[in-house]
C-alpha cells in the first residue's frame, strides 16, 4: 500500500479537525521485501532444516521457526539489535520453487541444489 501524500492544507485539516498525528516509525508498515531478500530468508530457513533432517523433501505445510535479527535476515533490513522468532512457510516456498525451477536464476538453483533441494 502506497502512503498517501497530503498537501499542507490537508495535513493541517487532519491535525486540527480530526486530531490525527503522523504515524510513529514503529507504527509504519514494513517495506516490501525484494526477491533477493526473499531468497535470503529462504536460505536462512533452509539451512537448519537441511542440517537437522539431512534432506529438503519438505512437506507442503511445514513451517520452519528461525531466530531473526542482528543480521540481514529481517524483511525490513534493519534489525535494530532485536531478535525475534519467526515462522517461515518453508514447505510452501519449496513447492513454489520446484514449480518455478525453469525460471530460477542459475545461481539460485545451484544454491538450492547444493543444500539438497529435491526438484521433482
Amino acid at each position: 500500500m502506497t502512503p498517501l501524500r497530503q498537501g499542507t492544507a490537508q495535513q493541517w485539516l487532519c491535525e486540527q479537525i480530526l486530531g490525527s498525528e503522523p504515524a510513529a516509525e514503529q507504527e509504519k508498515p514494513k517495506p516490501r521485501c525484494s526477491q533477493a531478500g526473499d531468497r535470503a530468508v529462504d536460505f536462512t530457513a533452509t539451512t537448519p532444516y537441511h542440517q537437522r533432517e539431512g534432506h529438503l523433501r519438505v512437506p507442503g505445510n511445514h513451517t520452519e521457526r528461525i531466530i531473526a535479527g542482528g543480521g540481514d535476515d529481517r524483511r525490513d533490513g534493519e534489525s535494530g539489535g532485536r531478535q525475534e522468532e519467526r515462522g517461515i512457510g518453508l514447505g510452501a516456498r519449496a513447492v513454489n520453487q520446484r514449480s518455478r525451477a525453469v525460471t530460477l536464476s542459475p545461481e539460485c538453483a545451484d544454491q538450492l541444489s547444493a543444500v539438497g533441494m529435491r526438484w521433482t
Side-chain angles (χ1 to χ4, degrees):
M1 181 163 91
T2 306
L4 296 175
R5 305 263 185 231
Q6 294 179 337
T8 308
Q10 290 172 324
Q11 187 173 359
W12 181 86
L13 282 170
C14 287
E15 290 172 357
Q16 301 301 316
I17 304 301
L18 299 176
S20 67
E21 297 177 4
E25 284 301 314
Q26 64 270 21
E27 295 175 331
K28 292 181 180 176
K30 294 180 182 178
R32 292 197 53 143
C33 189
S34 67
Q35 286 183 347
D38 274 343
R39 229 174 278 129
V41 170
D42 287 344
F43 291 118
T44 302
T46 301
T47 304
Y49 183 89
H50 182 260
Q51 289 173 349
R52 184 179 64 248
E53 302 293 330
H55 60 78
L56 278 181
R57 295 182 301 273
V58 186
N61 63 351
H62 178 73
T63 299
E64 186 72 14
R65 306 301 292 173
I66 63 168
I67 302 296
D72 293 337
D73 53 353
R74 284 189 46 124
R75 288 190 176 268
D76 61 4
E78 299 175 13
S79 64
R82 296 186 320 254
Q83 290 190 341
E84 63 181 351
E85 184 173 334
R86 292 178 47 202
I88 304 297
L90 188 59
R93 287 176 187 253
V95 167
N96 286 339
Q97 290 193 342
R98 278 188 208 108
S99 68
R100 297 180 183 131
V102 213
T103 61
L104 287 177
S105 70
E107 298 84 22
C108 184
D110 290 344
Q111 285 178 323
L112 287 169
S113 294
V115 292
M117 175 61 123
R118 179 181 59 89
W119 293 105
T120 57

